[in-house]
Amino acid sequence: MPDLELTSTAFAEGASIPTKYTGDGASVSPPLAWAFVPGGTRSMALIVHDPDAPSGDFVHWLAWDIDPETGGLDEGAPAPTEGANGRGDTGYMGPSPPPGHGPHRYFHELHALDADLDLQPGASREELEQALDGHVLAKAQLIGIYERPELPEI
């Protein structure tokens, strides 16, 4: 069986994330689809982050309790349970790198799990990663790029 696969109809691996899914647009989550889920998978978890942020690795979305049988998440759809993003809010936060900071990579990391996680909504990335420990059957990744041009001087 092929490895777990994560794709989006909004952007291809390594391609630019359309403005609609960013802080410069509607900031809705992009549609995501997965395939080749390993046997024994009970739930899925998702971490979306920007390792290129000036403040360090910035979390844009933490999601878990996702039913593997759905095959994906629709555009703008919340996950069953969501954690705290880098601003401390729950849910998806679209890319919004500093203007003129260059291209940023947005890693969408999907985890197939052999268990349902006992984790409360609003949990941090550290709490989610700790809960994932020992339960990951497979992992898939999709990277999108977003860059904001430098603002013109006034």
Side-chain angles (χ1 to χ4, degrees):
M1 180 175 200
D3 293 336
L4 180 64
E5 181 180 80
L6 178 63
T7 59
S8 178
T9 56
F11 61 94
E13 171 68 25
S16 292
I17 298 172
T19 303
K20 175 181 186 175
Y21 306 105
T22 74
D24 294 325
S27 197
V28 296
S29 58
L32 297 173
W34 48 81
F36 311 116
V37 175
T41 300
R42 292 192 45 194
S43 68
M44 308 290 269
L46 180 69
I47 298 173
V48 179
H49 64 101
D50 170 9
D52 302 315
S55 61
D57 201 353
F58 193 87
V59 174
H60 284 266
W61 198 14
L62 300 175
W64 60 93
D65 292 336
I66 303 167
D67 181 354
E69 298 297 319
T70 62
L73 289 169
D74 292 334
E75 176 181 288
T81 311
E82 297 176 318
N85 61 37
R87 290 210 179 124
D89 300 323
T90 56
Y92 176 81
M93 185 178 81
S96 189
H101 196 257
H104 283 222
R105 298 165 297 153
Y106 295 87
F107 287 71
H108 299 67
E109 299 172 347
L110 182 69
H111 305 263
L113 310 173
D114 66 1
D116 296 314
L117 300 181
D118 183 23
L119 199 57
Q120 294 298 308
S124 69
R125 178 179 180 179
E126 292 76 23
E127 292 170 315
L128 175 56
E129 288 177 338
Q130 192 171 41
L132 293 175
D133 191 38
H135 295 290
V136 178
L137 297 173
K139 183 177 170 183
Q141 179 175 276
L142 173 66
I143 301 172
I145 308 294
Y146 190 66
E147 179 177 9
R148 295 170 81 197
E150 196 162 334
L151 296 174
E153 292 187 33
I154 299 176

